[in-house]
């Protein structure tokens, strides 16, 4: 087909589409088609057809839309009905139609546009979740405004010859083209931007990714709430309704829940759009170092002398400059100020303030005095909590702790932060404090907690989240940097905290004992030595450095302080959860956020002490939750569940000792290796502890006076589920494969997997070595779980490695011989039947040709996928 014919064919289709759109008559159709067919190609626009919707001012639709539209008189567009707000742009609103009047001097400038969820229907995501974030520019071309997306992921020095090639390969994408509706008297273009807010038609600005289960979009249940222009940003809020059908495609909730999809056919959320002007001059980046925990961003540099692309990372941080650069400690040019939400109850404002300003000591270590401050939000019309220039601590009723920040992707500069505070949070809440610190703090031995205890919960949570807002990420190694003796020493804890960092997710100090005489204030997390070290590393100016690379030698020198002071170390990445001193982070989609362990430098000693406190908590549950006469036992049920969960938390670091590695992040020039196999003696001691504690019936969990007030049945299943989870983790394929490698590379210190599996078998089935011993129901359930886990390694999908399968088959054959010997001496009928049933199960596991009926899925422990069904 010739080019002319192609143009004609497209034009006929376009005309027909337009005619149908405007309900043209048959005569109009014929005339229009005839004109296009007989006309030359010069009469037909070569631009693609317009993609903007036709005019629909009543619902915020696009007015005009084609390239040929001519701007109208300003007064015809911005009529007397318009409500105008003047800021970085003038924003005019007529009903649900929104116009931006873009000053000429703000064209071609970098702006950060974020889309997030502010409020939500139950199940439809959670407040604070970000859906989109991108840098954009408004660019004028003729009588059109292009919205371009700017990408900073690649870079080359402008003076380098390769810079032009890099720019050519990263040409800005055009997100949207808008016709200029009018020009202001000053010549500033006016565009209709309603399509960005009251439709879901622009993927780059859709809130859908933050709404689990979102399928369709309900236009008739979507309303523009407000749009406000501030000096450096424009904020808009829209009530949007999505209908179900997205399934699991959308991301689930975050810390504090919110995942799992909308409850019902629709989910209504309040969506917040914020378009923020980025600094005219980007702050100098600071190179990221994985020995110090900062949020960071990646850029690929094509202009290095290595003649290859080099991935570079830069940390995210606020911009702090000294008023007096020559002073060792100086006031900042512009301090970091957090404004406290006016909705915060007056009794908690001092605690919020302390949480923010507890970071002042860390900034003093970095050379800044009064660098971070907390102020009550001004009570005047010129101040807004939504102004992107303001960092805020919101009082936000929620089950989770949240923090978001706006940062410049060019430099990592944090522009502002938004921290949520509320005492009913899952990891810092009242019930968690009771089960971890109740035996040590008399104020916490009955719910509800008094205000001073609740205030400290708020203070510690705010301090943790402010740490995130400063750029710090979780340091999950910090809880293992002190000895158990130090964690129990009141003087040491008063000075250093019981964890080296508040950025650990460690719980409250459940290792301390009543006889230690710990000040209750020191049972809460506080700023530790690592936090001061990290802030110093990230914020202290490097004298004379004019480029990020020039800072590297000094930053490396600062980081090496960790060699002599282990408590300054950061999480090792990656370690695949192999370091017993570094607890894995609870997934954001978890239904319950679990606190991290405390004192896990010696996991066995710390857990031994923690279990003593759990026994004490179990004995006080009735009194602690029974003060509200006439109310149901809801508090008892919640606290009991927290107590059972804490048992699992305390057992987990002991499990990780087995097959574990001690790790330290080291770089070139530092002595030593990154990973060291945990010595066999520590591993066998950990297994002995588990056999004596995790796999014996936990008496504190089966108190009838408690259980019969919260459930008609289920105590047996609760114990079975908890123990099965620990056993599943202990026999994890990844752990056994790692032990196999350790036995080959480090045979003098490793715990050989053959010996390990034999020790587990003899521990789980210890009754078989004592003829005539009765195996009770709790132990029978544990032993059935053992068989199921081994079955999955042989027959599950996917199956374990060939090495593991060979080891497991040998264990099952050895167990079968033990069972055969024990059967003859069994005197208890239930025990005899269990032994015989176990032998039958082993036969089926080893010979997959043996058929058996499918079990009740509800009765099988959740230990992974399998191909043939579970145990009978």
């Amino acid at each position: 087909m010739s080019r002319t014919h192609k143009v004609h064919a497209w034009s006929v289709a376009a005309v027909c589409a337009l005619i149908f759109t405007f309900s043209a008559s048959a005569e109009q159709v014929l005339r229009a088609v005839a004109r296009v067919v007989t006309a030359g190609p010069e009469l037909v626009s070569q631009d693609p057809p317009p993609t903007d919707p036709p005019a629909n001012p009543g619902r915020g639709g696009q007015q005009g839309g084609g390239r040929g539209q001519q701007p109208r008189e300003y007064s015809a567009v911005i009529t007397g009905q318009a409500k105008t707000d003047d800021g970085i742009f003038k924003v005019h609103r007529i009903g649900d139609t929104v116009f931006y009047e873009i000053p000429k001097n703000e064209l071609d400038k970098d702006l950060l546009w974020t889309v997030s969820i502010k409020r939500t229907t139950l199940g439809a995501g959670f407040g604070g979740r970000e859906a989109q974030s991108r840098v954009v520019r408004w660019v004028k071309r003729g009588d059109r405004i292009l919205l371009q997306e700017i990408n900073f992921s690649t870079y080359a020095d402008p003076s380098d010859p390769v810079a032009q090639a890099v720019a050519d390969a990263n040409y800005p994408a055009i997100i949207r083209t808008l016709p200029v509706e009018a020009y202001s008297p000053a010549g500033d273009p006016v565009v209709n931007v309603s399509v960005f807010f009251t439709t879901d038609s622009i993927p780059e600005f859709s809130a859908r990714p933050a709404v689990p289960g979102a399928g369709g979009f309900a236009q008739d249940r979507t309303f523009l709430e407000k749009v406000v222009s501030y000096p450096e940003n424009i904020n808009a809020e829209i009530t949007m309704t999505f209908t179900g059908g997205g399934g699991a495609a959308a991301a689930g909730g975050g810390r504090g829940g919110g995942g799992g999809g909308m409850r019902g056919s629709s989910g209504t959320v309040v969506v917040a759009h914020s378009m923020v002007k980025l600094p005219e001059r980007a702050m100098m980046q600071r190179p990221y170092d994985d020995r110090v925990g900062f949020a960071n961003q990646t850029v690929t540099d094509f202009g290095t002398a290595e003649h290859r692309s080099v991935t570079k990372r830069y940390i995210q941080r606020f911009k702090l400059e000294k008023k007096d650069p020559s002073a060792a400690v100086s006031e900042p040019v512009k301090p970091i100020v957090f404004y406290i939400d006016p909705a915060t109850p007056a009794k908690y404002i001092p605690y919020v303030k302390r949480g923010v300003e507890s970071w002042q000591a860390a900034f003093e270590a970095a050379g800044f005095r009064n660098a971070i401050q907390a102020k009550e939000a001004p009570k005047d019309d010129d101040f807004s909590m939504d102004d992107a220039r303001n960092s805020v601590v919101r009082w936000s009723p929620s089950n989770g702790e949240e923090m978001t920040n706006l940062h410049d992707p060019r430099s990592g500069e944090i522009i502002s932060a938004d921290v949520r505070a509320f005492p009913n949070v899952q990891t810092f809440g009242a019930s968690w404090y009771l089960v971890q610190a109740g035996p040590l703090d008399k104020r916490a031995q009955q719910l509800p907690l008094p205000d001073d205890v609740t205030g400290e919960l708020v203070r510690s949570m705010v301090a943790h989240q402010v740490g995130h807002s400063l750029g710090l990420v979780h340091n999950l190694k910090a809880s293992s940097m002190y000895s158990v003796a130090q964690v129990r020493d009141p003087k040491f804890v008063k000075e250093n905290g019981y964890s080296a960092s508040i950025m650990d997710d460690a719980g409250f100090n459940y290792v301390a004992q009543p006889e230690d005489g710990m000040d209750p204030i020191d049972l809460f997390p506080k700023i530790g030595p690592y936090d001061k070290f990290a802030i110093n590393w990230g914020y202290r100016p490097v004298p004379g450095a004019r480029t990020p690379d020039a800072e590297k030698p000094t930053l490396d020198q600062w980081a090496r302080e960790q060699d002599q002071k282990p408590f300054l170390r950061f999480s090792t990445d990656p370690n695949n959860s192999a370091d017993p001193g570094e607890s894995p982070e609870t997934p954001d989609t978890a239904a319950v956020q679990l606190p991290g362990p405390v004192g896990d430098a010696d996991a066995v000693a710390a857990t031994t002490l923690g279990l003593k406190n759990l026994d004490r908590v179990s004995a006080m549950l009735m009194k602690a939750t029974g003060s509200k006469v006439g109310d149901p036992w809801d508090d008892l049920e919640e606290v009991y569940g927290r107590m059972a969960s804490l048992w699992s938390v305390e057992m987990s670091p002991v499990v990780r000792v087995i097959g574990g590695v001690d790790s330290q992040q080291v770089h070139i020039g530092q002595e030593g290796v990154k990973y060291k196999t945990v010595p066999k003696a520590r591993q066998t001691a950990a297994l002995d502890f588990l056999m004596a504690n995790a796999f014996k019936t936990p008496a504190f969990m089966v108190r009838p006076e408690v259980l019969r007030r919260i459930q008609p049945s289920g105590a047996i299943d609760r114990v079975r589920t908890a123990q099965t989870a620990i056993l599943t983790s202990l026999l994890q394929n990844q752990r056994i494969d790692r032990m196999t490698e350790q036995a080959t590379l480090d045979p003098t210190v490793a715990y050989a997997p053959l010996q390990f599996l034999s020790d587990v078998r003899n521990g789980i089935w210890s009754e078989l070595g004592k003829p005539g011993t009765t195996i009770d129901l709790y132990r029978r359930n544990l032993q059935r779980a053992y068989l199921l886990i081994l079955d999955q390694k042989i027959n599950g999908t996917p199956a374990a490695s060939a090495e593991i399968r060979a080891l497991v088959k040998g264990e099952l054959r050895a167990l079968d011989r033990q069972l055969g010997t024990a059967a003859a001496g069994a005197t208890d009928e239930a025990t005899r039947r269990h032994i015989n049933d176990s032998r039958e199960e082993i036969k089926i596991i080893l010979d997959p040709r043996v058929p058996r009926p499918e079990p009740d899925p509800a009765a099988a422990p959740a230990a992974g996928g399998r191909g043939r069904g579970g145990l009978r």
Side-chain angles (χ1 to χ4, degrees):
M1 182 182 291
S2 70
R3 182 172 180 274
T4 301
H5 288 162
K6 287 181 182 178
V7 171
H8 286 179
W10 173 84
S11 302
V12 171
V15 170
C16 289
L18 290 173
I19 290 168
F20 280 116
T21 300
F22 294 103
S23 303
S25 67
E27 182 179 0
Q28 289 174 314
V29 171
L30 293 175
R31 287 179 178 175
V33 172
R35 180 174 180 271
V36 171
V37 171
T38 58
E42 67 279 0
L43 297 181
V44 182
S45 169
Q46 299 302 309
D47 283 342
T51 58
D52 296 321
N56 184 8
R59 289 298 307 151
Q62 193 78 13
Q63 293 185 356
R67 180 177 181 179
Q69 173 183 314
Q70 296 299 313
R72 294 179 289 163
E73 289 294 326
Y74 184 78
S75 60
V77 177
I78 308 304
T79 67
Q81 297 177 328
K83 295 181 179 180
T84 300
D85 196 26
D86 197 358
I88 182 174
F89 299 174
K90 282 186 177 178
V91 173
H92 309 283
R93 178 176 176 180
I94 304 174
D96 274 357
T97 303
V98 178
F99 297 94
Y100 281 178
E101 184 175 317
I102 308 174
K104 294 191 293 293
N105 62 353
E106 297 297 343
L107 294 168
D108 304 307
K109 299 292 179 66
D110 291 337
L111 302 112
L112 180 66
W113 192 325
T114 62
V115 182
S116 60
I117 302 298
K118 185 172 183 178
R119 291 188 288 272
T120 177
T121 301
L122 186 65
F126 68 91
R129 185 178 183 88
E130 184 178 278
Q132 308 283 352
S133 179
R134 59 195 74 248
V135 176
V136 299
R137 289 178 190 158
W138 299 94
V139 177
K140 188 172 183 295
R141 176 169 293 187
D143 287 332
R144 293 187 295 175
I145 295 294
L146 314 183
L147 183 63
Q148 296 180 336
E149 179 176 3
I150 311 301
N151 190 303
F152 294 100
S153 63
T154 59
Y155 172 81
D157 190 300
S159 63
D160 194 290
V162 77
Q164 185 58 53
V166 172
D168 291 344
N170 190 13
Y171 193 69
I174 300 173
I175 297 175
R176 198 74 172 178
T177 300
L178 302 173
V180 176
E181 303 287 343
Y183 289 97
S184 73
D188 298 330
V190 177
V191 291
N192 184 343
V193 294
S194 310
V195 68
F196 294 103
F197 305 129
T198 55
T199 76
D200 189 50
S201 62
I202 304 179
E204 291 86 350
F205 300 104
S206 173
R208 189 185 301 266
V211 184
F217 173 69
Q219 182 77 59
D220 62 327
R221 287 175 276 167
T222 295
F223 309 95
L224 180 67
E225 300 294 350
K226 68 177 181 179
V227 57
V228 184
S229 187
Y230 300 102
E232 294 181 7
N233 62 290
I234 297 175
N235 285 3
E237 290 183 13
I238 308 96
T239 294
M240 305 189 83
T241 302
F242 293 90
T243 55
R255 296 191 69 79
M262 58 185 65
R263 315 290 177 86
S265 61
S266 301
T268 298
V269 297
V270 174
V271 177
H273 288 251
S274 183
M275 188 182 70
V276 183
K277 183 179 180 180
L278 295 177
E280 295 281 353
R281 183 178 179 182
M283 178 184 74
M284 189 178 82
Q285 305 104 322
R286 173 153 290 186
Y288 172 75
D289 187 318
D290 49 16
R291 293 171 290 185
V292 190
F294 271 85
N296 59 90
Q297 53 205 47
T298 301
V299 63
T300 302
D301 190 345
F302 288 89
T304 69
E306 300 178 45
H307 302 293
R308 63 184 178 92
S309 61
V310 175
T311 298
K312 296 183 177 181
R313 290 192 287 175
Y314 301 104
I315 68 170
Q316 295 174 8
R317 57 177 181 158
F318 280 93
K319 184 177 182 179
L320 278 183
E321 298 174 302
K322 289 185 175 182
K323 280 185 178 179
D324 182 0
S326 63
V329 181
S330 168
E331 296 275 344
V333 173
K334 179 183 178 183
I336 303 166
V337 178
F338 278 86
Y339 291 98
I340 301 173
D341 191 343
T344 306
K347 60 186 176 183
Y348 295 131
I349 289 176
Y351 295 98
V352 173
K353 189 173 184 357
R354 282 175 47 207
V356 174
E357 295 185 348
S358 60
W359 286 95
Q360 286 186 351
F363 281 102
E364 289 235 1
F368 293 95
R369 183 180 298 108
N370 296 321
I372 184 168
Q373 303 169 20
K375 299 180 180 180
E376 293 188 49
K379 296 179 174 63
D380 60 62
D381 294 337
D382 293 332
F383 179 86
S384 171
M385 296 283 288
D386 297 325
D387 188 335
R389 295 172 298 172
N390 299 327
S391 293
V392 299
V393 180
R394 295 183 193 272
W395 193 256
S396 178
S398 168
N399 282 330
E401 66 271 21
E402 316 289 352
M403 187 285 306
T404 57
N405 68 31
L406 290 174
H407 67 274
D408 186 343
R410 305 168 304 176
S411 64
E413 178 184 352
I414 297 171
I415 299 167
S416 64
D418 192 324
V419 170
R420 271 76 164 179
F422 197 66
N424 186 32
V425 294
Q426 290 195 22
T427 50
F428 289 100
S431 57
W432 274 123
Y433 186 68
L434 190 156
V435 301
Q436 294 175 71
L440 309 168
D441 186 348
K442 292 181 179 179
R443 302 170 302 168
Q445 294 179 354
Q446 189 172 71
L447 295 178
L449 299 181
D451 288 343
D452 56 342
V453 177
T454 303
E456 286 300 323
L457 294 175
V458 172
R459 190 272 310 160
S460 58
M461 186 272 288
V462 168
H464 178 92
Q465 292 302 316
V466 167
H468 283 312
S469 77
L470 297 173
L472 301 182
V473 297
H474 286 140
N475 180 2
L476 302 177
K477 185 184 285 290
S479 62
S480 64
M481 293 293 99
Y482 296 154
S483 69
V484 168
Q486 289 172 321
V487 172
R488 296 184 63 184
D489 181 347
K491 184 175 184 297
F492 180 88
V493 173
K494 178 71 71 177
E495 295 175 357
N496 303 282
Y498 55 86
S499 174
S501 173
I502 200 170
M503 300 315 298
D504 196 346
D505 254 354
F508 305 101
N509 190 354
Y510 61 73
V511 173
Q513 299 294 294
E515 62 267 24
D516 295 337
M518 193 72 63
D519 185 344
I521 197 69
D522 295 324
L523 300 172
F524 295 86
K526 64 172 66 174
I527 306 298
Y530 166 82
D531 304 311
K532 298 175 183 178
F533 161 79
I535 291 295
N536 177 78
W537 186 93
Y539 282 87
R540 177 178 287 277
V542 178
R546 296 290 179 264
T547 66
D549 286 343
E551 290 190 335
K552 281 187 173 181
T554 301
L555 297 175
D556 177 63
Q557 180 183 351
W558 291 346
R560 293 192 188 205
E561 191 178 356
Q562 297 171 337
D563 291 344
Q564 304 304 319
K565 299 176 180 178
F567 52 84
L568 301 182
R569 292 174 187 170
F570 176 65
S571 304
T572 309
D573 185 36
N575 69 53
N576 300 320
S577 301
D579 188 335
E582 190 168 321
S583 57
E585 195 159 6
T586 305
D588 279 352
T589 52
V592 176
Q593 296 295 318
L594 300 177
V598 173
D600 45 328
D602 186 340
V604 169
T607 302
T608 299
L609 294 167
L611 293 181
K612 288 184 178 181
N613 278 333
L614 278 179
D615 279 335
R616 297 178 179 118
V617 170
S618 178
M620 58 189 272
L621 283 185
M622 295 291 295
K623 179 182 177 182
T625 60
S627 64
K628 300 177 183 178
V629 177
D631 282 3
W633 288 97
D634 294 344
D635 285 346
L636 177 63
E637 185 171 8
E638 179 183 353
V639 173
Y640 176 83
R642 298 293 196 221
M643 183 182 68
S645 296
L646 185 59
W647 179 85
S648 298
V649 168
E650 295 186 20
M651 290 297 175
S652 294
V654 181
V655 174
R656 291 196 301 276
V657 170
I658 300 165
V661 296
D662 293 321
S663 65
Q664 178 193 351
Q665 193 75 39
V666 294
H667 285 191
I668 297 171
Q670 290 178 272
E671 295 183 2
V673 296
K674 188 173 181 179
Y675 304 111
K676 296 179 181 178
T677 298
V678 171
K680 179 181 178 181
R682 275 178 61 196
Q683 297 190 51
T684 55
L687 184 61
D688 289 344
F689 176 87
L690 292 172
M691 291 302 168
N693 293 277
F695 300 131
K696 297 296 183 183
T697 304
F700 77 93
M701 289 175 61
V702 289
R703 291 181 180 269
E705 70 272 19
V706 171
L707 295 173
R708 287 300 172 253
R709 283 177 166 83
I710 62 177
Q711 57 188 172
S713 63
I716 302 297
D717 280 346
R718 188 184 293 271
V719 173
R720 175 185 59 79
T721 299
Q723 291 184 329
T724 298
I726 296 297
L727 184 59
T728 300
S729 178
L730 180 65
L731 294 175
Q732 185 184 56
N733 291 341
Q734 188 180 34
R735 186 183 317 282
I736 300 173
D737 282 332
R738 188 166 58 243
M739 296 175 76
T740 301
E741 181 174 304
Q742 290 172 348
T744 301
L745 297 180
D746 303 306
T748 59
V749 297
Y751 189 7
L754 182 61
Q755 182 64 53
F756 162 66
L757 290 172
S758 175
D759 291 344
V760 171
R761 167 172 47 85
N762 289 323
I764 298 298
W765 298 85
S766 60
E767 294 89 347
L768 302 183
K770 303 170 186 177
T773 301
T774 297
I775 305 175
D776 67 24
L777 178 58
Y778 295 104
R779 292 285 290 179
R780 295 201 298 268
N781 279 336
L782 177 65
Q783 290 164 0
R784 290 171 182 134
Y786 172 88
L787 292 176
L788 174 59
I789 294 167
L790 265 57
D791 182 8
Q792 291 163 343
K793 296 186 185 306
I794 299 173
N795 303 306
T797 304
S801 66
E803 182 70 16
I804 291 178
R805 293 199 306 273
L807 292 172
V808 166
K809 288 176 181 178
E811 288 303 304
L812 288 170
R813 294 186 181 104
L815 176 59
D816 185 57
R817 291 192 294 271
Q818 290 176 285
L819 288 167
T821 301
T827 57
D828 174 69
E829 181 61 24
T831 299
R832 182 184 298 111
R833 292 187 180 191
H834 170 63
I835 289 174
N836 291 333
D837 182 68
S838 298
R839 297 196 73 187
E840 292 178 11
E841 289 296 331
I842 291 172
K843 183 183 298 184
I844 295 171
I845 294 169
L846 292 174
D847 186 357
R849 295 170 297 179
V850 177
R852 67 175 165 195
E854 288 295 320
D856 177 4
R866 58 175 278 117
R868 303 184 300 109
L871 293 176
R872 290 182 298 202

